[in-house]
């Protein structure tokens, strides 16, 4: 597969790059960002995936996430995919919470979305192969995190692939798409009206169904305007408590849903993953 370099910049002794390729999963060109920290020649480094939220591309966290200094210190590769397929022929609809920029990290089964909206397979299959082939990545040491819709994606992907992802965390995740307007709209559109089919993309439901990870770190701002109606971390906590999954849920006073919140606790998350990835 041909990988095109869009840009590279030196940062904290490493390289922040943006790359593009033609995706077989989505049938479109896809763009992603990778930060590779300084490292010894021949070294293989752990990988931390960051999945972004609604309306975002790779650029939001790359420009606002403030992860490079701590990734350079800890020796962690940071991978930032896009949130959906894009292009003139990709279906879309008005509104920020469905269609382009809102792929929800699912493989759509409903027309017309099923042809392109295959973000689950893109994140778990196609893009890891590209990372392994083109970067000094130790694919036996992968962690995953994300924000909001991306937090939902990180949790569900880790719960469904515990042998691949050794650590998982989230910033203000959508904890149960089955029980919030964002999730109901997205999963109805992408997966169909049968709510039983949605459970494979709901972290709370996956835990209730027996999925397990060694532990989860979640940061959530208590001034987040989406907290009560969309995010509902109490549902995730209840499921983890019942399942015996150690959940560190930190309610952060005065913080909202923005990248001011994310960047404030990014260092904690990178350190948390680095400790578990070795």
């Amino acid at each position: 597969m041909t990988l095109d370099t869009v840009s590279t910049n030196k940062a904290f002794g490493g390289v922040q790059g943006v790359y593009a390729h033609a995706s077989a999963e989505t049938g479109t060109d896809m763009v992603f960002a990778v930060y590779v920290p300084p490292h010894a020649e021949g070294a293989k480094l752990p990988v931390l995936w960051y999945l972004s939220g609604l309306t975002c591309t790779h650029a939001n966290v790359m420009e606002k996430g403030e992860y490079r200094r701590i990734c350079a210190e800890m020796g962690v590769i940071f991978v930032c995919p896009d949130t959906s397929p894009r292009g003139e022929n990709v279906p879309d609809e008005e509104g920020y919470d469905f269609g382009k920029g809102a792929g929800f990290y699912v493989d759509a089964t409903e027309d017309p979305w099923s042809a392109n909206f295959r973000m689950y397979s893109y994140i778990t299959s196609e893009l890891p192969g590209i990372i392994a082939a083109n970067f000094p990545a130790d694919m036996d040491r992968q962690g995953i995190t994300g924000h909001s819709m991306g937090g939902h994606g990180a949790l569900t992907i880790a719960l469904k692939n515990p042998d691949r992802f050794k650590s998982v965390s989230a910033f203000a995740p959508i904890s149960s798409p089955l029980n919030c307007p964002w999730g109901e709209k997205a999963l109805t559109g992408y997966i169909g009206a049968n709510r039983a089919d949605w459970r494979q993309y709901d972290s709370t439901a996956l835990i209730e169904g027996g999925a397990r990870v060694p532990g989860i770190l979640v940061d959530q701002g208590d001034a987040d305007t989406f907290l009560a109606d969309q995010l509902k971390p109490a549902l995730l906590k209840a499921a983890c408590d019942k399942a015996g999954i150690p959940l560190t849920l930190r309610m952060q006073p005065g913080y909202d849903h923005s990248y001011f919140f994310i960047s404030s606790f990014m260092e904690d998350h990178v350190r948390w993953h680095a400790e578990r990835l070795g």
Side-chain angles (χ1 to χ4, degrees):
M1 179 177 293
T2 301
L3 185 65
D4 296 323
T5 299
V6 178
S7 64
T8 58
N9 297 93
K10 187 169 183 177
F12 295 97
V15 176
Q16 175 65 68
V18 178
Y19 308 92
H21 71 106
S23 169
E25 287 291 350
T26 69
T28 67
D29 290 338
M30 296 294 287
V31 178
F32 63 94
V34 178
Y35 177 69
V36 178
H39 59 281
E41 184 175 355
K44 293 288 188 179
L45 307 177
V47 178
L48 179 56
W49 295 79
Y50 177 91
L51 306 186
S52 292
L54 291 167
T55 76
C56 292
T57 70
H58 69 281
N60 296 75
V61 68
M62 185 179 76
E63 295 168 357
K64 303 175 184 178
E66 300 183 23
Y67 56 82
R68 280 172 286 269
R69 183 191 61 77
I70 185 60
C71 283
E73 178 183 332
M74 304 303 293
V76 173
I77 293 173
F78 200 86
V79 180
C80 316
D82 202 348
T83 53
S84 78
R86 300 181 190 272
E88 292 183 2
N89 296 322
V90 175
D92 197 15
E93 69 169 39
E94 292 185 7
Y96 72 94
D97 54 356
F98 190 77
K100 292 179 185 177
F104 245 79
Y105 304 101
V106 305
D107 282 349
T109 56
E110 296 293 296
D111 291 333
W113 314 101
S114 58
N116 305 110
F117 282 75
R118 295 185 50 80
M119 291 304 295
Y120 177 83
S121 290
Y122 178 73
I123 296 296
T124 61
S125 180
E126 185 173 23
L127 191 52
I130 294 171
I131 298 300
N134 293 278
F135 301 93
D138 183 350
M139 303 305 281
D140 291 327
R141 294 188 290 161
Q142 296 185 72
I144 190 166
T145 188
H147 171 235
S148 193
M149 178 186 72
H152 138 78
L155 291 170
T156 55
I157 287 171
L159 286 162
K160 294 169 73 170
N161 300 274
D163 293 338
R164 179 180 300 181
F165 295 97
K166 309 301 184 185
S167 57
V168 58
S169 72
F171 301 86
I174 301 172
S175 295
S176 182
L178 279 157
N179 293 289
C180 74
W182 280 340
E184 290 178 359
K185 179 177 181 178
L187 295 179
T188 299
Y190 293 136
I191 308 301
N194 185 353
R195 292 176 66 90
D197 294 338
W198 301 2
R199 296 181 67 85
Q200 64 181 307
Y201 296 117
D202 183 300
S203 57
T204 299
L206 286 167
I207 291 169
E208 291 172 348
R212 297 292 182 266
V213 291
I216 302 171
L217 170 63
V218 171
D219 274 301
Q220 171 65 61
D222 71 1
D224 190 325
T225 56
F226 301 115
L227 176 57
D229 293 336
Q230 302 282 13
L231 306 178
K232 303 185 178 183
L235 296 178
L236 178 65
K237 184 179 186 304
C240 286
D241 287 348
K242 186 174 181 180
I245 296 175
L247 169 65
T248 301
L249 173 59
R250 307 193 305 184
M251 298 300 298
Q252 302 292 358
Y255 283 91
D256 59 18
H257 201 66
S258 71
Y259 269 91
F260 295 107
F261 156 66
I262 298 166
S263 63
S264 296
F265 301 102
M266 179 65 79
E267 179 171 338
D268 291 353
H269 283 246
V270 173
R271 287 189 182 277
W272 192 87
H273 285 276
E275 288 170 1
R276 285 153 182 79
L277 298 175

